[in-house]
């Protein structure tokens, strides 16, 4: 019997990669099942969490129990309208949402423009896993003080004439808000684990540390990252244009906020808010959609990533969409293929490096690979995949001589499958929220397979944004490293939007998706200023 040729072996390896990639297909039929389940959960949790359930929820958090809170908590934000672009003043914004802490000082000019100065610092692991609340919130207060010393030293004088600066805190973790400036932490995520903070008011904890340092700063708003993104996007729009009604984050984590009618919110609203608009932004917390995995796609690799995460069994949607998990998902698959006798990915890696050394490189080390390699895999179309092969060395630690073109092809096939599924899931969730708002009206009544209403003379479904002003009905502000840097992420999302009943081809063209860079911190400052002026 003749031995298989090297060409046959590589062909088999690529075929196996295609088989694995096919497990990440997320069909239109599966998408529509997710939409129906998503709609059901949104309706349930905005209406039926009564005061008794709310108190039980807080009690569980206060006791530090690991019990899961309701899927997609649908938390009222106490923010009742988008920024108009006419607001003026000076305020601080703090964004704690992942591995970085951002602090900004923002001056709003009242004409849709603003000036901001920023600081950004990497959070040490000891802070993310601190024992006492003061370690985390004292660290934040120190960064606020440093920014003021650098850019606004006159504000630190002991004079009685120094005015108090309003501060908005973007705290991108599940928090149950009972006022615009108050919220109880329900649970940690994204690698944070400080049990002593769970069940406490995070605004009070930060204000305490600010007061200890004698800073003329008052926390006037607690903000979700998606709410901040909405406000930053809305403020920068030309005066009189359709305001932003949905905000979504696709970065280290993922979440969304949308504008809901107050009459549909039947949860307890104990805090004060300006109710004249008849609406309120609601924090969906969609990262925890379908925790029971009744409709979400699931592979053996998803199961392994969840098993070795800090919050195993929670945030199942987030673990398929957000940047914190996409790189680990790819790494998990590639590590298995490296030991597969058919694929023999990076053949010779063990012989060259030795298992002891090999165990130390990122390819064999959990939670060391970020999502940037997926972006490169998506965009590198060169014959020899030279850019991707270099990225494999930089991110996975595989020596360049051991990365053949065929190896890079395998990485590209699987990375693209993971990235496309993430984007289509994101589009599914966004599409469900758009239909919930009913902003598309009769346009959205078309089924996905029905044609365009003729808004433009060409099919621009492959383009990022619909033609700008007149055709836009829904303005969506987005932020996060995944949607900003992953090529074609929005295009894949738009494919999914067109598959959603109630949107279709015509409706998708009327959805404008725009990046609000650093929206979480800028938006927090805007909300803080508005909240202080309304108090």
């Amino acid at each position: 019997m003749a031995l298989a040729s090297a060409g046959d072996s590589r062909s088999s390896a690529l075929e196996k990669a295609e088989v694995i990639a096919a497990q990440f297909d997320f069909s239109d039929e599966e998408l529509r099942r997710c939409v129906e389940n998503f709609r059901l959960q949104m309706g349930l949790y905005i209406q039926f969490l009564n005061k008794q359930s709310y108190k039980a929820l807080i009690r569980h958090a206060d006791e530090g129990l690991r019990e899961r809170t309701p899927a997609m908590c649908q938390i009222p934000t106490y923010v009742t309208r988008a920024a108009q672009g006419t607001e003026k003043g000076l305020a601080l914004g703090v964004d704690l949402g992942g591995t970085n802490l951002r602090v900004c000082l923002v001056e709003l000019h009242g004409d849709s423009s603003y000036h901001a100065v920023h600081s950004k610092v990497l959070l040490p692991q000891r802070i993310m896993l601190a024992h006492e609340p003061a370690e985390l919130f004292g660290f934040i207060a120190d960064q606020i003080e440093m920014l003021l010393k650098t850019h606004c030293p006159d504000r630190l004088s002991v004079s009685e004439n120094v005015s108090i600066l309003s501060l908005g805190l973007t705290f991108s973790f599940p928090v149950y808000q009972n006022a615009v400036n108050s919220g109880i932490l329900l649970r940690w995520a994204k690698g944070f684990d400080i049990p002593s903070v769970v069940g406490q008011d995070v605004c009070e904890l930060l204000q305490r540390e600010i007061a200890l340092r004698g800073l003329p700063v008052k926390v006037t708003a607690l903000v979700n990252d998606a709410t901040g993104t909405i406000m930053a996007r809305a403020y920068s729009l030309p005066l009189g244009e359709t305001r932003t009604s949905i905000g979504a984050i696709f970065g280290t984590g993922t979440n969304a906020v949308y504008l809901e009618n107050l009459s549909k919110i039947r949860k307890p609203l104990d805090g004060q808010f300006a109710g004249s608009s008849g609406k309120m932004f609601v924090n969906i917390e969609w990262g925890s959609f379908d925790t029971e995995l009744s409709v979400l796609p699931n592979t053996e690799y998803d199961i392994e990533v969840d098993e070795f995460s800090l919050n195993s069994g929670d945030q199942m949607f987030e673990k398929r969409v957000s940047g914190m998990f996409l790189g680990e998902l790819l790494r998990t698959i590639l590590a298995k293929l490296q030991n597969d006798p058919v694929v023999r990915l990076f053949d010779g890696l063990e012989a060259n490096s030795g298992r002891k050394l090999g165990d130390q490189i990122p390819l064999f080390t959990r939670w060391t690979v970020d999502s940037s390699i997926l972006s490169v895999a998506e965009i590198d179309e060169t014959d020899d995949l030279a850019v991707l092969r270099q990225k494999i060395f930089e991110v996975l630690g595989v020596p360049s001589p051991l990365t053949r073109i065929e190896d890079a092809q395998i990485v590209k096939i699987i990375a693209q499958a993971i990235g496309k599924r993430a984007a289509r899931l994101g589009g599914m969730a966004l599409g469900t929220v758009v239909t919930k708002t009913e902003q598309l009206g009769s346009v959205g009544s078309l089924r996905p397979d029905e044609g365009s209403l003729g808004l433009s003379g060409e099919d621009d479904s492959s383009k990022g944004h619909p033609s700008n002003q007149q055709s836009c009905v829904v303005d969506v502000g987005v932020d996060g490293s995944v949607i900003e840097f992953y090529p074609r992420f929005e295009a894949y999302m738009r494919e999914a939007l067109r598959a959603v009943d109630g949107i279709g081809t015509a409706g998708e063209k009327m959805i404008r998706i725009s990046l609000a860079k650093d929206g979480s911190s800028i938006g927090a400052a805007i909300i803080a200023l508005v909240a202080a002026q309304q108090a």
Side-chain angles (χ1 to χ4, degrees):
M1 180 181 293
L3 294 175
S5 68
D8 290 339
S9 176
R10 300 313 295 170
S11 177
S12 298
L14 289 171
E15 287 175 2
K16 184 153 189 176
E18 294 283 6
V19 168
I20 293 173
Q23 296 180 45
F24 289 86
D25 287 346
F26 183 51
S27 69
D28 287 354
E29 182 180 350
E30 292 171 310
L31 181 148
R32 291 183 189 118
R33 285 201 297 269
C34 280
V35 167
E36 289 306 312
N37 193 286
F38 203 108
R39 284 173 175 159
L40 176 64
Q41 290 195 23
M42 284 186 74
L44 284 176
Y45 291 109
I46 198 167
Q47 295 184 52
F48 300 123
L49 185 66
N50 57 28
K51 284 203 174 188
Q52 184 177 358
S53 301
Y54 164 71
K55 289 176 180 177
L57 186 67
I58 299 304
R59 184 174 69 253
H60 288 321
D62 193 41
E63 293 169 357
L65 301 180
R66 299 296 297 177
E67 293 185 29
R68 297 190 187 100
T69 57
M72 301 201 308
C73 299
Q74 293 281 86
I75 300 169
T77 66
Y78 293 86
V79 177
T80 56
R81 65 171 177 84
Q84 302 302 299
T86 56
E87 297 84 354
K88 291 183 180 182
L90 189 68
L92 285 160
V94 171
D95 179 14
L96 179 70
T99 54
N100 294 309
L101 172 69
R102 293 177 175 85
V103 181
C104 69
L105 182 65
V106 183
E107 183 176 9
L108 305 178
H109 299 149
D111 59 358
S112 295
S113 69
Y114 60 82
H115 175 72
V117 291
H118 302 260
S119 71
K120 184 173 83 169
V121 60
L122 183 69
L123 281 165
Q125 191 77 359
R126 63 178 176 80
I127 296 296
M128 297 172 69
L129 303 174
H131 295 291
E132 298 298 329
E135 296 176 67
L136 170 62
F137 293 96
F139 182 85
I140 297 173
D142 287 341
Q143 300 306 311
I144 295 169
E145 185 174 23
M146 289 174 61
L147 183 76
L148 291 177
K149 283 182 176 178
T150 302
H151 298 285
C152 213
D154 56 309
R155 292 275 179 169
L156 298 177
S157 89
V158 295
S159 170
E160 295 181 359
N161 296 323
V162 173
S163 58
I164 301 297
L165 276 173
S166 299
L167 181 145
L169 170 62
T170 295
F171 196 79
S172 303
F173 302 92
V175 171
Y176 202 97
Q177 279 193 254
N178 41 39
V180 72
N181 61 347
S182 175
I184 307 298
L185 176 65
L186 299 176
R187 61 181 179 270
W188 286 108
K190 306 176 191 176
F192 283 74
D193 190 15
I194 312 173
S196 57
V197 178
V198 176
Q200 296 206 54
D201 187 325
V202 295
C203 291
E204 287 185 2
L205 293 174
L206 178 56
Q207 189 65 59
R208 184 182 306 162
E209 296 302 319
I210 288 172
L212 286 173
R213 288 155 179 78
L215 303 178
V217 174
K218 182 179 181 180
V219 182
T220 60
L222 177 63
V223 183
N224 171 270
D225 51 1
T227 312
T229 296
I230 284 177
M231 297 300 276
R233 166 65 183 163
Y235 188 85
S236 64
L237 287 171
L239 299 179
E241 190 171 324
T242 301
R243 308 327 280 174
T244 312
S245 59
I246 298 171
I249 301 295
F250 298 99
T252 303
T254 184
N255 191 23
V257 165
Y258 75 103
L259 193 61
E260 181 61 273
N261 292 322
L262 274 171
S263 61
K264 293 184 179 180
I265 302 175
R266 302 180 188 175
K267 293 182 176 186
L269 294 172
D270 295 329
Q272 294 183 347
F273 58 91
S276 59
S277 70
K279 296 178 181 293
M280 181 178 288
F281 284 104
V282 173
N283 169 19
I284 301 173
E285 287 296 337
W286 73 17
S288 56
F289 166 62
D290 194 27
T291 295
E292 65 279 9
L293 294 175
S294 62
V295 291
L296 279 176
N298 199 29
T299 69
E300 64 179 283
Y301 311 107
D302 294 304
I303 293 170
E304 182 170 332
V305 168
D306 174 61
E307 180 184 349
F308 285 93
S309 67
L310 283 176
N311 57 342
S312 180
D314 283 323
Q315 302 294 106
M316 292 306 192
F317 182 77
E318 184 166 80
K319 287 171 182 173
R320 286 151 179 76
V321 175
S322 72
M324 181 173 182
F325 298 97
L326 298 182
E328 175 61 12
L329 191 52
L330 176 63
R331 188 210 64 79
T332 298
I333 298 171
L334 298 182
K336 289 181 179 295
L337 292 182
Q338 201 276 325
N339 289 316
D340 189 299
V342 174
V343 178
R344 299 189 320 191
L345 187 68
F346 311 127
D347 195 22
L349 180 60
E350 279 192 273
N352 181 73
S353 305
R355 172 52 64 185
K356 184 176 181 181
L357 177 60
D359 276 340
Q360 297 174 1
I361 67 173
L363 174 63
F364 299 113
T365 308
R366 295 189 189 278
W367 309 109
T368 56
V369 177
D370 63 32
S371 59
S372 64
I373 189 172
L374 281 83
S375 299
V376 174
E378 178 70 41
I379 202 170
D380 188 358
E381 301 290 351
T382 58
D383 291 339
D384 60 356
L385 296 176
V387 179
L388 177 56
R389 290 162 73 188
Q390 176 63 25
K391 193 69 173 179
I392 289 170
F393 168 66
E394 294 172 359
V395 175
L396 299 177
V398 178
S400 297
L402 300 182
T403 305
R404 293 159 294 194
I405 293 176
E406 293 84 355
D407 293 323
Q409 289 173 331
I410 290 171
V411 173
K412 182 178 178 69
I413 289 168
I414 295 171
Q416 282 185 308
I418 293 171
K420 184 173 183 179
R421 186 187 73 169
R424 283 179 60 82
L425 281 166
M428 175 279 299
L430 178 59
T432 308
V433 176
V434 169
T435 60
K436 176 73 169 62
T437 66
E438 300 180 340
Q439 287 179 269
L440 289 177
S442 60
V443 176
S445 66
L446 295 177
R447 288 186 52 79
D449 54 355
E450 293 184 90
S452 169
L453 293 181
L455 294 173
S456 61
E458 58 176 324
D459 179 8
D460 61 355
S461 60
S462 63
K463 296 180 183 179
H465 299 146
S467 62
N468 215 351
Q469 317 295 341
Q470 301 303 321
S471 64
C472 171
V473 170
V474 184
D475 191 87
V476 181
V478 296
D479 196 9
S481 56
V482 174
I483 195 162
E484 182 177 1
F485 297 115
Y486 189 100
R488 291 190 278 273
F489 193 87
E490 184 185 334
Y492 292 143
M493 283 181 64
R494 288 187 174 278
E495 283 183 12
L497 286 172
R498 293 192 290 274
V500 174
D501 289 334
I503 296 181
T505 301
E508 178 266 322
K509 292 173 182 286
M510 301 181 76
I511 300 169
R512 181 173 56 202
I513 301 173
S514 299
L515 184 70
K517 181 67 176 170
D518 295 322
S520 298
S521 53
I522 299 292
I526 295 171
I527 295 173
L529 188 63
V530 172
Q533 292 173 349
Q534 290 179 347

